[in-house]
């Protein structure tokens, strides 16, 4: 027998996973390209007459831009939450796919958590008929009120909170095959080695083949080849910058973990000393 839905639980769609399609090129500036964007709908089921507050969290807050990330849903209505994959991470994921194939993107550890709870009529009244800014966000005062409300709810047990977890899937369309990785296994021996430069990714192998024929090129062809090499160089620089950014994030996380560990060890040492002093006093 299926469990009855909770009155303070929002209906979340999609139900179990958010799918982001990774593309080679960045989304268009006019907003028509939604390939790196996912939309989540939060619906009030009407099982209670109270307004429901929601908050959307993620394990990768630097990777995803969530708008709005918190708000109020009236009975019988719904709220649309837009989740955008940051372009820097889109490039990193595409580079990973380009080198290793779709299997490297499977089993993503990124997760989202949607929380919801009932709020009083007095609290919800201040959000009614309030204009929204870009992205569906409330004005600063209301955002601060929501943040304070969630801080009080999560630190106490007086208000029941519904938690809905969603996994993340990163996929690449079939129209964009990887240029170097993810293909069939290479043959062994001389066939695997191929001609000089065949061990390079396809985009760079093409450049090697062209450079071997530069003596036969016209000035216009040479100009096009220089422009092509410049674009490839810019791509390499951008990839290098992305790797540096990821390294800095990992270093900062590691340093924070070390500081937390040192504080924990210092706290335990202080407690042990206090315990030793108390035991010594009792012996006396």
């Amino acid at each position: 027998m299926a469990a009855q839905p909770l009155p303070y639980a929002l209906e979340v769609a999609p139900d179990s996973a958010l799918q982001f399609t990774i593309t080679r090129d960045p989304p268009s500036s006019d907003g028509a390209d939604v390939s790196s964007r996912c939309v989540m709908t939060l619906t009030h089921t009407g099982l209670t007459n109270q307004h429901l507050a929601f908050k959307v969290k993620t394990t990768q807050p630097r990777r995803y831009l969530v708008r709005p990330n918190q708000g109020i849903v009236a009975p019988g209505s719904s709220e649309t939450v837009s989740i955008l994959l940051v372009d820097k991470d889109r490039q990193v994921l595409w580079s990973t796919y380009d080198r290793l194939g779709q299997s490297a993107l499977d089993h993503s550890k990124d997760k989202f958590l949607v929380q919801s709870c009932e709020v009083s009529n007095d609290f919800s009244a201040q959000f009614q008929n309030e204009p929204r800014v870009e992205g569906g966000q409330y004005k600063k005062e209301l955002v601060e009120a929501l943040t304070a409300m969630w801080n009080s709810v999560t630190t106490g047990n007086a208000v029941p909170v519904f938690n809905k977890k969603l996994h993340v899937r990163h996929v690449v369309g079939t129209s964009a095959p990887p240029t170097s990785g993810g293909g069939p296994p290479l043959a062994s021996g001389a066939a695997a080695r191929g001609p000089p430069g065949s061990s390079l990714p396809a985009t760079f192998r093409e450049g090697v083949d062209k450079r071997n024929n530069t003596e036969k090129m016209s000035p216009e062809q040479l100009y096009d080849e220089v422009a092509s090499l410049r674009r490839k160089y810019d791509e390499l620089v951008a990839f290098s910058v992305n790797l540096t950014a990821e390294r800095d994030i990992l270093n900062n996380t590691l340093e924070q973990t070390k500081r937390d560990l040192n504080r924990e060890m210092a706290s335990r040492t202080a407690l042990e000393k206090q315990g030793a002093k108390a035991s010594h006093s009792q012996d006396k």
Side-chain angles (χ1 to χ4, degrees), residues 63-251:
R63 173 170 288 184
Y64 303 99
L65 182 63
V66 183
R67 290 292 182 271
N69 65 334
Q70 55 183 346
I72 299 290
V73 184
S77 64
S78 62
E79 179 79 28
T80 299
V81 177
S82 175
I83 306 172
L84 175 67
L85 176 64
V86 175
D87 191 59
K88 174 180 70 66
D89 290 278
R90 178 197 60 78
Q91 296 177 29
V92 172
L93 291 170
W94 171 262
S95 298
T96 301
Y97 167 80
D98 196 33
R99 289 182 287 110
L100 304 175
Q102 177 62 47
S103 60
L105 301 183
D106 294 339
H107 312 296
S108 171
K109 295 183 180 180
D110 297 357
K111 294 180 179 65
F112 279 81
L113 174 67
V114 180
Q115 296 181 299
S116 63
C117 70
E118 292 182 348
V119 293
S120 65
N121 291 332
D122 291 339
F123 184 82
S124 61
Q126 58 186 323
F127 293 87
Q128 296 178 11
N129 301 322
E130 280 292 332
R132 307 280 194 96
V133 298
E134 185 178 359
Q137 295 284 82
Y138 292 100
K139 62 183 182 180
K140 181 180 177 181
E141 293 78 5
L142 296 180
V143 171
E144 292 176 348
L146 275 170
T147 301
M149 185 277 297
W150 277 112
N151 288 338
S152 63
V153 166
T154 53
T155 54
N157 297 318
V159 179
V161 176
F162 172 72
N163 296 301
K164 176 69 174 180
K165 295 181 180 179
L166 296 100
H167 296 275
V168 171
R169 295 178 58 203
H170 298 124
V171 298
V172 177
T174 56
S175 61
T179 57
S180 57
L186 294 175
S188 59
R193 290 190 296 271
S198 62
S199 61
L200 294 171
T203 53
F204 296 98
R205 189 161 63 245
E206 180 183 355
V208 171
D209 295 338
K210 286 184 178 180
R211 286 196 297 274
N212 291 335
N213 297 321
T214 53
E215 295 180 356
K216 302 177 183 179
M217 290 183 179
S218 65
E220 292 79 7
Q221 291 174 325
L222 285 173
Y223 178 83
D224 292 339
E225 176 61 17
V226 170
S228 176
L229 290 175
R230 184 172 297 168
R231 285 194 299 271
K232 291 180 173 63
Y233 172 78
D234 292 339
E235 291 175 2
L236 283 174
V237 171
F239 181 68
S240 179
V241 169
N242 289 334
L243 288 180
T244 301
E246 291 295 320
R247 181 204 63 190
D248 293 341
I249 292 173
L250 290 174
N251 285 339

